[in-house]
C-alpha cells in the first residue's frame, strides 16, 4: 500500500471538508466482495401494465429490426405522448430477455448525467472497476461499453425519453457502436438521423382499442357488448390512445352501474381537451388525502419513485402511514401510477399525468407545504451521503439522486437557508465519490453561486462551498486551482467565526493536505500541528476529527521517511477510530495498514 496521497487524480481518496482522510488504493474499500445481482446484468423494469393489448405485431417488428443489422442497431419507437412507447419497450425487454445474454441496460435520456448512468450500471450489475485515470465521465462510459462482458453475447440497451434534439445529440455520443449492442430508444421526435431505424407508434386501431377497453373492464363486464356503438365512439373520442383508454377503463371499473353513454357525455367534443378531461374524471374520484399524495408525487422527478421516499416526505407532513398507503392503492387502481419493480415498492407516473397533477398544485393551499416537505426530506438524504462511497452506499441512495436533482434545479426556493449547501454538496459527493469529476463540478459550482446569491458573500456557508469545490480540484490534481479556494475559505472562516472554531481547524487541515500532496512539507507541517492543537482543545482528545489530523500528520512524516515520528501518531489515530467506529470501519482499516507500512520501513 502506498504511503501517501499525492496522486488524487488516480484513485487516492483525500477527505477534506468532512474531516476523514483515507490513504491508499480506493479498491481496498470501494467494492464489496458479494454479488449484488445475478450473472446477467439487467435493470429493466420487471413489471408492465397488466392488460397489454394491441401491440403484439409491433413487438415482433421491434425484434426483427433490432436483430437484422450487421452494425450496431439503433431502433427508435417514435410517437406522441400517451401512445405507450415506454410500455412497449418494457414489454419487449421482458419478453425477449433470453435473446440478450450479455445483459439488458435501461437508461433515461431525461437525466442530465447519462454517462453516470452507464458507469453506475457497469459498477452495480457487472462489478467493473472503472479506472480512475479516466477523468471525464464520457471516457468512463466508453470504457464500460468496451469492457462489457466480452464473451456474453448480445446486449439490449434501452434509452427512454429522447424528446429533445440537443439532448439526443449528446446522448448519441455516449451510445455503444459495437454490433453486439442493440439500442432501442423511445422518442416523441421523428427522423433522428442516419443509421436510426424508426417504428412509428401511432394510435391503436379501432378494433384493438375496443379489445383493450374490454380487457380493462374484465371478462364479467358486458358494457362493451351491450353498447358496441357507444364503445366505438368512446374509443374514437379518446384518439385510440392507450393512456386515455386505461384511465377511462379504470374509471368505469370503479362504477359498474355507469353506462358508456354517460361517460361519453362527460367528455368534451374537442379532441385536444379529451385526455385532460379524462384526467379530471379520475381526479374527481379521489378523496382529499389521495389528491394530496398525487400532488406530492408530481414534485418528484420524472423517474422511478421509491415509495419509501414518499413515506419520508409524508412524515415531514405528519401524514398517517395508513392514509398514505391507501392513497397509493387508489392511485394505482386508477392507473395514475404504475408499479415498476417486483419485490420493490417503486412506482412511476406518466409524464402527461405528472404535468396534470403539477397543474393542480398551482394556487392550491397545500402546494407550498408539499414543496417544503419534499425538499426537507431530500436534504436529509443529501446530508447522509458519505464522502467515500461503497457500492452499498450508492445502491442505498441512487434512486433518490434524480429527485435531489429536481430540488436543485426546480425547487431550490423551497429549501431553508441553513440547508442550502447540502443540496449541492450531496450531489457533488455522489459523483465525486465515484470518480465522476466532470459531473460533480457543476453541482459544486452551482452550489457556490446559489449560496453567494441568497446568503451573500460574507457567510460561513460560502466558505463551505469553496472548500468542496477546492476538494474536487484536489482530487483531480488541479492544485493551482484548489489552493486559492482553500485560502479564501480559511480567511472567511477566521473573519466570521474567529480563530478558535472547528471549521477553522478543518480549513487548516484541508490546506495542509493540499501542500502535502504537492510535496510542500515545510508548509504543510505547521498547518497540521495548528489543526491538531485546535481540534484537541475544541473537540477533545478522542474525537474522530483529531484522529483524522493525527493520521494526516503521520502521513506527512511517512512521506519524508520520518517513520519513528509517524508510528506513534498512527497508533493514537487507530485507538480513536477503534473506539468510535469499530475495528472493521474503512478509517480503522486504512490507519492500521498505514501503521504496518511505517513499522515495516523502520
Amino acid at each position: 500500500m502506498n504511503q501517501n496521497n499525492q496522486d488524487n487524480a488516480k484513485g487516492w481518496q483525500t477527505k477534506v471538508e468532512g474531516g476523514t482522510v483515507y490513504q491508499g488504493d480506493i479498491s481496498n474499500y470501494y467494492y464489496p466482495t458479494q454479488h449484488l445481482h445475478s450473472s446477467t446484468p439487467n435493470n429493466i423494469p420487471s413489471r408492465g401494465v397488466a392488460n397489454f393489448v394491441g401491440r403484439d405485431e409491433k413487438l415482433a417488428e421491434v425484434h426483427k429490426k433490432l436483430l437484422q443489422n450487421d452494425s450496431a442497431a439503433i431502433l427508435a419507437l417514435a410517437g406522441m405522448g400517451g401512445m405507450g412507447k415506454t410500455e412497449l419497450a418494457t414489454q419487449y425487454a421482458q419478453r425477449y430477455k433470453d435473446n440478450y445474454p450479455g445483459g439488458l441496460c435501461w437508461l433515461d435520456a431525461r437525466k442530465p448525467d447519462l454517462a453516470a448512468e452507464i458507469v453506475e450500471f457497469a459498477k452495480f450489475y457487472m462489478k467493473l472497476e472503472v479506472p480512475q485515470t479516466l477523468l471525464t465521465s464520457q471516457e468512463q462510459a466508453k470504457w464500460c461499453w468496451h469492457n462489457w462482458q466480452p464473451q456474453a453475447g448480445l446486449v439490449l440497451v434501452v434509452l427512454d425519453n429522447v424528446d429533445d434534439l440537443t439532448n439526443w445529440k449528446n446522448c448519441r455520443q455516449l451510445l455503444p457502436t459495437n454490433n453486439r449492442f442493440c439500442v432501442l430508444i423511445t422518442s416523441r421526435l421523428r427522423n433522428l438521423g442516419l443509421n436510426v431505424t424508426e417504428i412509428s407508434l401511432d394510435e391503436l386501431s379501432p378494433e384493438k382499442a375496443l379489445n383493450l377497453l374490454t380487457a380493462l373492464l374484465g371478462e364479467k363486464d358486458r358494457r362493451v357488448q351491450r353498447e358496441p356503438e357507444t364503445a366505438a365512439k368512446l374509443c374514437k373520442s379518446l384518439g385510440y390512445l392507450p393512456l386515455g383508454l386505461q384511465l377511462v377503463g379504470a374509471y368505469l371499473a370503479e362504477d359498474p352501474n355507469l353506462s358508456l353513454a354517460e361517460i361519453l357525455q362527460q367528455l368534451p367534443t374537442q379532441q385536444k381537451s379529451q385526455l385532460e378531461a379524462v384526467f379530471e374524471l379520475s381526479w374527481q374520484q379521489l378523496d382529499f388525502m389521495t389528491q394530496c399524495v398525487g400532488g406530492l408525487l408530481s414534485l418528484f422527478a420524472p423517474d422511478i419513485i421509491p415509495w419509501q421516499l414518499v413515506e419520508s416526505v409524508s412524515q415531514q407532513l405528519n401524514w398517517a402511514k395508513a392514509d398514505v398507503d391507501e392513497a397509493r392503492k387508489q392511485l394505482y387502481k386508477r392507473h395514475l401510477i404504475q408499479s415498476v419493480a417486483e419485490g420493490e415498492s417503486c412506482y412511476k407516473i406518466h409524464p402527461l399525468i405528472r404535468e396534470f397533477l403539477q397543474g393542480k398544485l398551482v394556487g392550491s393551499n397545500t402546494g407550498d407545504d408539499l414543496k417544503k416537505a419534499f425538499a426537507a426530506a431530500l436534504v436529509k438524504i443529501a446530508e447522509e451521503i458519505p464522502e467515500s462511497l461503497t457500492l452499498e452506499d450508492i445502491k442505498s441512495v441512487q434512486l433518490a439522486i434524480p429527485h435531489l436533482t429536481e430540488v436543485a434545479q426546480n425547487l431550490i426556493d423551497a429549501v431553508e437557508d441553513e440547508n442550502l449547501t447540502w443540496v449541492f454538496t450531496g450531489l457533488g459527493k455522489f459523483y465525486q465519490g465515484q470518480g465522476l469529476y466532470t459531473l460533480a463540478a457543476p453541482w459544486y459550482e452551482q452550489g457556490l453561486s446559489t449560496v453567494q446569491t441568497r446568503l451573500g458573500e460574507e457567510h460561513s456557508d460560502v466558505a463551505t462551498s469553496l472548500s468542496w469545490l477546492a476538494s474536487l480540484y484536489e482530487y483531480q490534481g488541479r492544485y493551482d486551482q484548489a489552493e486559492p479556494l482553500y485560502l479564501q475559505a480559511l480567511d472567511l472562516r477566521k473573519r466570521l467565526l474567529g480563530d478558535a472554531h472547528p471549521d477553522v481547524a478543518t480549513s487548516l487541515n484541508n490546506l495542509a493536505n493540499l501542500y502535502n500532496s504537492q510535496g510542500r512539507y515545510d508548509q504543510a507541517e505547521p498547518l497540521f500541528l495548528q489543526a491538531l492543537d485546535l481540534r484537541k482543545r475544541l473537540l477533545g482528545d478522542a474525537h474522530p476529527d483529531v484522529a483524522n489530523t493525527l493520521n494526516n500528520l503521520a502521513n506527512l512524516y511517512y512521506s519524508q521517511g520520518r517513520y519513528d515520528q509517524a508510528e506513534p501518531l498512527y497508533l493514537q489515530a487507530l485507538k480513536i477510530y477503534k473506539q468510535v467506529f469499530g475495528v472493521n470501519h474503512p478509517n480503522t482499516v486504512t490507519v492500521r495498514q498505514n501503521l504496518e507500512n511505517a513499522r515495516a520501513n523502520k
Side-chain angles (χ1 to χ4, degrees):
M1 184 172 181
N2 292 327
Q3 78 277 10
N4 57 44
N5 56 358
Q6 292 184 16
D7 195 359
N8 295 337
K10 297 184 179 179
W12 296 88
Q13 297 288 25
T14 304
K15 297 307 162 191
V16 287
E17 187 61 21
T20 302
V21 171
Y22 289 135
Q23 176 190 8
D25 193 329
I26 189 173
S27 63
N28 286 321
Y29 56 88
Y30 195 87
Y31 299 98
T33 56
Q34 72 271 25
H35 290 273
L36 298 179
H37 299 274
S38 62
S39 57
T40 300
N42 181 356
N43 71 335
I44 300 294
S46 55
R47 285 186 190 173
V49 296
N51 298 290
F52 186 74
V53 176
R55 298 295 196 192
D56 287 338
E57 296 90 342
K58 291 292 185 184
L59 286 175
E61 185 181 359
V62 168
H63 191 55
K64 179 181 178 181
K65 289 188 174 181
L66 275 177
L67 299 184
Q68 70 184 4
N69 294 336
D70 293 330
S71 60
I74 301 180
L75 177 63
L77 294 174
M80 61 180 283
M83 289 296 179
K85 300 180 295 294
T86 297
E87 186 60 39
L88 183 65
T90 303
Q91 294 286 343
Y92 173 77
Q94 292 171 355
R95 294 193 188 186
Y96 290 91
K97 62 183 178 182
D98 291 342
N99 293 89
Y100 299 98
L104 300 94
C105 176
W106 187 284
L107 305 170
D108 191 342
R110 292 171 302 194
K111 295 182 179 179
D113 49 2
L114 182 63
E117 286 188 81
I118 296 167
V119 173
E120 288 168 14
F121 183 95
K123 288 180 177 180
F124 266 108
Y125 294 88
M126 294 186 295
K127 297 191 70 180
L128 288 179
E129 299 188 19
V130 181
Q132 297 295 301
T133 51
L134 300 175
L135 297 184
T136 71
S137 55
Q138 290 82 359
E139 290 174 345
Q140 293 179 346
K142 291 178 180 179
W143 183 93
C144 293
W145 296 130
H146 183 72
N147 291 274
W148 196 286
Q149 301 189 52
Q151 307 301 324
L154 285 178
V155 180
L156 176 66
V157 179
V158 179
L159 181 60
D160 195 23
N161 299 304
V162 177
D163 296 330
D164 178 85
L165 276 176
T166 301
N167 180 250
W168 165 236
K169 291 178 181 178
N170 295 332
C171 289
R172 182 153 191 177
Q173 296 176 1
L174 293 170
L175 293 178
T177 56
N178 189 286
N179 61 6
R180 64 186 296 241
F181 293 93
C182 298
V183 180
L184 178 63
I185 71 176
T186 70
S187 178
R188 297 186 188 184
L189 304 174
R190 304 277 185 175
N191 303 317
L192 290 174
L194 296 175
N195 302 320
V196 179
T197 305
E198 182 177 302
I199 292 179
S200 179
L201 203 62
D202 297 317
E203 67 273 4
L204 297 172
S205 69
E207 180 183 0
K208 291 174 180 177
L210 278 174
N211 291 340
L212 176 56
L213 182 60
T214 302
L216 289 165
L217 294 178
E219 294 181 0
K220 295 181 179 180
D221 195 299
R222 309 300 296 175
R223 277 176 285 188
V224 173
Q225 290 76 13
R226 288 198 303 265
E227 305 175 70
E229 293 184 4
T230 305
K233 290 180 181 179
L234 179 60
C235 293
K236 182 179 180 180
S237 72
L238 294 170
Y240 304 110
L241 292 177
L243 177 61
L245 289 165
Q246 288 171 2
L247 293 176
V248 166
Y251 185 85
L252 288 165
E254 188 73 10
D255 186 356
N257 296 318
L258 182 66
S259 70
L260 301 186
E262 288 174 308
I263 194 171
L264 184 60
Q265 290 176 355
Q266 298 181 50
L267 298 179
T269 56
Q270 294 182 348
Q271 188 170 353
K272 68 178 183 179
S273 304
Q274 286 164 353
L275 196 55
E276 184 175 351
V278 172
F279 294 160
E280 186 65 37
L281 287 176
S282 299
W283 175 260
Q284 294 300 331
Q285 280 187 310
L286 307 177
D287 60 33
F288 178 72
M289 175 54 74
T290 305
Q291 289 181 344
C292 288
V293 173
L296 171 60
L297 291 174
S298 75
L299 298 178
F300 284 78
D303 207 298
I304 293 174
I305 301 174
W307 199 256
Q308 184 177 7
L309 185 51
V310 179
E311 292 177 338
S312 297
V313 182
S314 70
Q315 290 172 5
Q316 298 276 339
L317 294 160
N318 294 317
W319 288 349
K321 184 178 184 301
D323 293 340
V324 176
D325 285 341
E326 180 59 29
R328 173 181 53 81
K329 294 175 184 177
Q330 294 303 316
L331 292 167
Y332 181 76
K333 180 179 180 181
R334 291 172 173 82
H335 291 269
L336 293 170
I337 60 175
Q338 292 181 6
S339 177
V340 296
E342 292 179 359
E344 298 180 23
S345 188
C346 295
Y347 296 86
K348 65 180 180 180
I349 305 178
H350 192 283
L352 295 177
I353 296 176
R354 178 175 179 264
E355 183 180 340
F356 172 80
L357 293 174
Q358 285 181 335
K360 289 296 182 182
L361 284 184
V362 177
S364 71
N365 295 327
T366 60
D368 287 344
D369 291 339
L370 294 181
K371 291 176 182 178
K372 290 179 181 179
F374 178 72
L378 269 299
V379 164
K380 288 184 65 176
I381 293 174
E383 291 175 342
E384 295 170 0
I385 296 175
E387 298 168 46
S388 175
L389 296 174
T390 66
L391 279 178
E392 289 292 355
D393 292 329
I394 299 170
K395 182 181 179 181
S396 69
V397 76
Q398 66 175 351
L399 289 180
I401 291 300
H403 310 297
L404 182 59
T405 301
E406 182 72 13
V407 172
Q409 291 179 329
N410 299 314
L411 295 170
I412 199 63
D413 289 343
V415 178
E416 300 292 338
D417 287 353
E418 60 267 25
N419 294 327
L420 199 56
T421 56
W422 282 114
V423 175
F424 302 99
T425 58
L427 289 166
K429 285 191 294 181
F430 179 75
Y431 294 118
Q432 181 175 331
Q434 299 176 72
L436 299 170
Y437 304 128
T438 57
L439 295 177
W443 293 120
Y444 288 138
E445 291 165 356
Q446 185 179 341
L448 175 59
S449 174
T450 303
V451 170
Q452 288 172 326
T453 299
R454 186 191 290 192
L455 305 180
E457 298 282 352
E458 296 292 307
H459 195 282
S460 59
D461 284 352
V462 173
T464 300
S465 298
L466 287 166
S467 294
W468 279 114
L469 184 56
S471 81
L472 176 66
Y473 293 156
E474 185 178 356
Y475 269 77
Q476 295 176 285
R478 298 161 62 183
Y479 304 130
D480 291 344
Q481 292 171 273
E483 183 177 2
L485 299 184
Y486 278 143
L487 288 170
Q488 288 179 54
L490 176 60
D491 177 68
L492 188 57
R493 282 171 167 167
K494 282 185 174 181
R495 285 191 287 107
L496 295 175
L497 306 173
D499 291 340
H501 191 279
D503 288 353
V504 172
T506 296
S507 279
L508 290 167
N509 186 72
N510 293 346
L511 190 57
N513 268 327
L514 177 68
Y515 291 155
N516 188 31
S517 298
Q518 295 175 284
R520 298 161 64 179
Y521 305 129
D522 291 343
Q523 293 171 274
E525 183 175 2
L527 297 179
F528 276 138
L529 290 171
Q530 290 179 54
L532 180 61
D533 176 69
L534 195 53
R535 282 179 163 174
K536 283 184 175 181
R537 285 193 288 114
L538 297 174
L539 305 174
D541 291 342
H543 194 278
D545 284 357
V546 172
N548 158 261
T549 304
L550 287 167
N551 179 68
N552 294 344
L553 183 58
N555 288 344
L556 173 69
Y557 293 152
Y558 189 107
S559 300
Q560 297 174 291
R562 298 159 65 180
Y563 306 121
D564 287 339
Q565 292 172 272
E567 181 179 352
L569 300 180
Y570 283 137
L571 282 169
Q572 293 177 55
L574 182 61
K575 181 180 178 181
I576 296 171
Y577 280 144
K578 281 182 177 179
Q579 292 175 343
V580 176
F581 297 132
V583 296
N584 295 320
H585 191 273
N587 296 37
T588 310
V589 172
T590 299
V591 174
R592 186 186 301 118
Q593 291 174 339
N594 293 343
L595 175 61
E596 291 172 358
N597 288 341
R599 286 174 170 171
N601 282 281
K602 284 178 63 177

